[in-house]
């Protein structure tokens, strides 16, 4: 009996020692961790959102940029058929031109100066100022048809083929001013009966023309953008008389 009591006391002491040997440590606000060999606690469950598992490696998505719908218009291969300066006139020449390429002509003359000066000399020697001098008083001579005379420096004009050309005028290059002046005379009553002619005679005023040669510039000629071309411009106003028979 005494032996039995001693054994039970020994077993009680061992159990008590084991329970006291367990140490609980709490880290901050987390769950306590118990260190011990015999006591086992169910691990705490953290309530986190369920994250789906990714299978395989991640690939950067491919973005295809749409092709631009804008296509720039190609540069024109030649001068327009009718320049802007001719929009408000019926005459085949322009004395004013807001699109006149002064700088481009100057640059081209500087680059081809020796050749240009030879061409220019071929037309610059013409003295149109003295070619036709009309009288200032009726005592000297009477014109049958009224007309208007002017000395002009056209910037653009239609050549004899009907194509508009840029004429070199009022351009300074190599300390020289390139100008081309011509005399024109336009009928004021073209197609009408000649004044001072009796009505018994058939008559009408006619516009007469003359050919002029001008130094022109072609911006689309990459080798040598200068040439001399012919132009037909009004030169005088004449009176045409129809056939008639004189009976006496």
């Amino acid at each position: 009996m005494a032996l039995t009591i001693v054994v039970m006391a020994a077993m009680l002491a061992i159990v008590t020692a084991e329970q006291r040997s367990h140490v609980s440590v709490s880290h901050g606000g987390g769950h306590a961790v118990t260190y011990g060999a015999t006591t086992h606690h169910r691990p705490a469950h953290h309530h986190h959102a369920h994250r789906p598992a990714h299978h395989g490696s991640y690939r950067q998505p491919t973005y295809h940029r749409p092709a631009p719908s804008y296509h720039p218009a190609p540069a024109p291969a030649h001068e327009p058929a009718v320049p802007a300066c001719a929009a408000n006139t019926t005459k085949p020449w322009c004395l004013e031109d807001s699109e006149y390429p002064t700088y481009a002509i100057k640059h081209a003359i500087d680059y081809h100066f020796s050749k240009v000066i030879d061409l220019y000399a071929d037309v610059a020697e013409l003295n149109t100022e003295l070619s036709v001098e009309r009288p200032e008083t009726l005592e000297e001579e009477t014109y049958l048809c009224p007309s208007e005379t002017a000395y002009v420096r056209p910037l653009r004009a239609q050549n004899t083929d009907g194509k508009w050309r840029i004429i070199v005028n009022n351009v300074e290059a190599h300390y020289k001013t390139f100008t081309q002046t011509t005399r024109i005379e336009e009928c004021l009553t073209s197609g009408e009966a000649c004044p001072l002619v009796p009505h018994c005679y058939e008559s009408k005023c006619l516009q007469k023309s003359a050919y002029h040669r001008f130094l022109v510039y072609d911006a689309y000629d990459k080798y040598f953008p200068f040439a001399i071309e012919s132009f037909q411009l009004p030169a005088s106003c004449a009176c045409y008389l129809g056939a008639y028979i004189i009976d006496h």
Side-chain angles (χ1 to χ4, degrees):
M1 182 66 178
L3 179 59
T4 303
I5 294 173
V6 172
V7 172
M8 293 178 64
M11 293 178 63
L12 179 61
I14 293 173
V15 172
T16 304
E18 287 181 346
Q19 291 178 348
R20 290 179 178 177
S21 65
H22 292 80
V23 180
S24 296
V25 181
S26 177
H27 299 279
H31 299 283
V33 181
T34 303
Y35 298 92
T38 59
T39 304
H40 300 281
H41 298 278
R42 180 177 296 176
H45 295 280
H46 298 279
H47 300 282
H48 294 290
H50 177 69
R51 298 179 181 177
H54 295 281
H55 301 282
S57 59
Y58 174 74
R59 294 183 179 181
Q60 182 72 21
T62 303
Y63 299 98
H64 298 282
R65 181 175 297 179
S69 58
Y70 169 73
H71 299 284
H78 52 77
E79 288 285 336
V82 180
C85 66
N88 298 322
T89 181
T90 58
K91 298 180 180 180
W93 67 85
C94 291
L95 301 182
E96 296 182 359
D97 183 9
S98 60
E99 299 179 352
Y100 190 75
T102 303
Y103 178 78
I105 297 175
K106 178 183 182 305
H107 179 74
I109 292 177
D110 289 338
Y111 188 80
H112 302 282
F113 183 74
S114 59
K115 294 182 180 180
V116 173
I117 200 66
D118 290 339
L119 289 178
Y120 181 71
D122 190 28
V123 295
E125 297 300 325
L126 298 177
N127 189 352
T128 58
E129 197 168 313
L130 301 176
S131 60
V132 178
E133 288 188 352
R134 65 180 301 165
E136 297 180 358
T137 61
L138 292 180
E139 288 77 15
E140 297 180 34
E141 187 176 350
T142 300
Y143 281 80
L144 293 179
C145 292
S147 62
E148 184 177 17
T149 302
Y151 290 91
V152 298
R153 292 177 178 176
L155 300 178
R156 296 182 193 253
Q158 280 184 303
N159 62 12
T160 52
D161 294 327
K163 297 180 180 180
W164 282 89
R165 295 297 192 218
I166 299 174
I167 299 176
V168 179
N169 243 325
N170 306 325
V171 178
E172 295 183 5
H174 274 271
Y175 305 100
K176 182 178 181 62
T177 301
F178 290 80
T179 61
Q180 300 180 89
T181 305
T182 188
R183 176 191 180 277
I184 61 174
E185 182 178 344
E186 298 178 272
C187 280
L188 298 180
T189 59
S190 180
E192 298 181 8
C194 302
L196 306 178
V197 175
H199 295 288
C200 58
Y201 298 104
E202 178 190 1
S203 68
K204 62 180 177 180
C205 295
L206 293 179
Q207 178 68 65
K208 305 285 285 187
S209 300
Y211 291 95
H212 301 265
R213 300 166 67 244
F214 290 128
L215 176 66
V216 300
Y217 168 76
D218 183 3
Y220 298 93
D221 189 334
K222 303 302 180 182
Y223 297 98
F224 185 64
F226 296 97
I228 293 180
E229 296 186 8
S230 297
F231 298 81
Q232 189 175 3
L233 299 177
S236 62
C237 191
C239 177
Y240 166 80
L241 294 176
Y244 63 92
I245 298 174
I246 301 176
D247 289 331
H248 295 290

